Amino acid sequence: MELNIEINLTSQSCIDQVNFDDLGFGKYFTDHLFVAEYQNKTWNKPRIISFDNLSLHPALSALHYGQSIFEGMKAFKYADGGAVLFRPEKNWERINMSARRLCMPEIPKDIFIEGLKIFVDIERNWIPSKEGEALYLRPLLFATDGFLGVKPSESYMFLIMASPVSKYYSKPIKILAQKQYVRAVRGGVGAVKAAGNYAGSLLATQEAKKQGYDQILWLDAIHLSLVEESGTMNLFFVIDNEIYTAPATQNGTILMGVTRDSVITLLKSWGYTVHETSLSMQDISDAGKANKLQEVFGTGTAASIAPVSAIGFEDAEIIPQYHEGYGKLGQKLYENLVGIQRGTVLDTMGWIVRVPEYAYS
Ligand code: COI
């Protein structure tokens, strides 16, 4: 262990209170919390403490002005019984991209990566083992100045918490394309994982749910016609045996998903062409009418690969050929991705990072 860290393990685990047969998503938390604080332009020595409430200043700038960013990652129980992380450097790169966009300090690699490994090692008993389950990891960076002027905070707190989870969606989802609300604008913060992006999505999602949909399909803010992403996921379309997904760039409106990148990489390694291009709702609707829309699926850390069974658009529904579960490609991707993460499919990409067993004194 190279990271200089202070570890105070709890004397009383609460793992017995968890119903591992009904984990759901994000309702249980493990025994500990990883904490690192930034003050006077320096990261202080990180610590691992018992999971507990925080005491925060009422004028906390994260609460008032939204300087708050996060990551979503998973630790998996590997086939040999060990604990592994999936592409953690991608999340480290992305949280620092989010940090730069919101004028927050970047997190040093050893604090993020070593911190995760030590934290997951301590919580390794909490990693559930059934297919579709994982220990969801939530790195979170937020501004802690108690000050009401609008400016970048000078102090920050970085936390990592963990929650044993099962599948985010238990069945194929229905998504609604609507023109009243947008998620992101060019030059905005849609490409990064800013907490406020999620707050801004709630009303549209609530209204979609009232109409029988699970999530929103977000359209671009300029033409209100180009497909961006869905809920908390990137979207993929298989049309006439060609694969399409919206282009993700640092200044764009699409979140640069780690699962998105992994899916594109796997598809290319299998010889498929992936078009990172913007499709319009008209394209999707035409493909549906011509019976050429074979599969639609979302990708994300929480959701993994989630099949879409219907797209609501202008009082009609577009139904992909495969709508009762995974389509052929979605199934192959899910099996390979989850297989790599769980050690039942060979990791030829070098995506798996083992969590060492450290000795704590
Ligand atoms: C993730 O996939 O990790 C996400 O960020 C989705 C989360 C907001 C539930």
Side-chain angles (χ1 to χ4, degrees), residues 25 70-73 94 136 138 168 193 198 232 300-303:
F25 185 89
F70 68 92
E71 276 302 316
M73 318 174 58
R94 191 173 62 183
Y136 185 76
R138 171 53 62 84
Y168 197 77
K193 251 177 133 52
Y198 296 79
T232 63
T301 297

Side-chain angles (χ1 to χ4, degrees), residues 89-107:
E89 291 209 7
K90 295 294 267 183
N91 298 88
W92 171 64
E93 286 163 11
R94 191 173 62 183
I95 200 166
N96 283 343
M97 191 177 105
S98 304
R100 289 190 295 274
R101 179 64 182 81
L102 270 74
C103 291
M104 302 166 83
E106 294 188 30
I107 303 168

Side-chain angles (χ1 to χ4, degrees), residues 43-286:
W43 284 97
N44 299 337
K45 181 174 165 179
R47 53 193 195 278
I48 287 177
I49 57 173
S50 294
F51 188 94
D52 205 347
N53 293 342
L54 301 171
S55 169
L56 300 170
H57 195 289
L60 199 83
S61 35
L63 297 178
H64 294 255
Y65 305 127
Q67 261 191 308
S68 178
I69 56 179
F70 68 92
E71 276 302 316
M73 318 174 58
K74 280 176 173 169
F76 298 91
K77 170 95 35 126
Y78 215 51
D80 61 7
V84 300
L85 297 169
F86 182 71
R87 310 190 74 186
E89 291 209 7
K90 295 294 267 183
N91 298 88
W92 171 64
E93 286 163 11
R94 191 173 62 183
I95 200 166
N96 283 343
M97 191 177 105
S98 304
R100 289 190 295 274
R101 179 64 182 81
L102 270 74
C103 291
M104 302 166 83
E106 294 188 30
I107 303 168
K109 188 169 184 181
D110 60 340
I111 293 186
F112 191 92
I113 303 282
E114 278 293 297
L116 269 168
K117 287 184 188 167
I118 296 167
F119 179 66
V120 171
D121 180 31
I122 288 172
E123 306 295 46
R124 66 171 64 237
N125 290 345
W126 288 81
I127 307 177
S129 52
K130 294 192 220 72
E131 189 237 289
E133 296 181 341
L135 185 64
Y136 185 76
L137 301 164
R138 171 53 62 84
L140 171 74
L141 177 66
F142 61 97
T144 52
D145 279 4
F147 175 67
L148 290 179
V150 179
K151 69 169 185 62
S153 176
E154 284 169 20
S155 58
Y156 294 85
M157 185 176 271
F158 174 56
L159 304 178
I160 306 173
M161 63 198 85
S163 171
V165 298
S166 58
K167 288 186 177 166
Y168 197 77
Y169 296 115
S170 51
K171 57 180 186 34
I173 59 166
K174 290 179 69 174
I175 59 180
L176 177 68
Q178 48 75 55
K179 296 187 175 176
Q180 192 174 358
Y181 306 105
V182 294
R183 174 186 171 276
V185 293
R186 195 168 62 201
V189 293
V192 301
K193 251 177 133 52
N197 288 347
Y198 296 79
S201 75
L202 297 177
L203 180 60
T205 311
Q206 204 174 47
E207 292 182 8
K209 284 190 175 160
K210 283 192 197 134
Q211 295 177 55
Y213 290 89
D214 301 290
Q215 280 296 346
I216 292 286
L217 182 158
W218 296 107
L219 298 177
D220 78 284
I222 296 175
H223 311 94
L224 295 174
S225 74
L226 302 177
V227 172
E228 300 218 311
E229 48 187 80
S230 178
T232 63
M233 301 184 296
N234 296 114
L235 269 182
F236 286 75
F237 297 85
V238 186
I239 300 175
D240 213 7
N241 297 318
E242 301 274 317
I243 302 154
Y244 299 85
T245 192
T249 58
Q250 287 205 10
N251 298 317
T253 52
I254 308 289
L255 187 81
M256 299 169 82
V258 177
T259 312
R260 174 187 181 279
D261 182 79
S262 308
V263 159
I264 293 173
T265 308
L266 282 176
L267 287 169
K268 286 184 177 165
S269 77
W270 298 334
Y272 291 97
T273 305
V274 182
H275 304 279
E276 292 184 59
T277 185
S278 302
L279 289 177
S280 67
M281 277 314 296
Q282 195 60 50
D283 296 331
I284 308 285
S285 174
D286 290 349

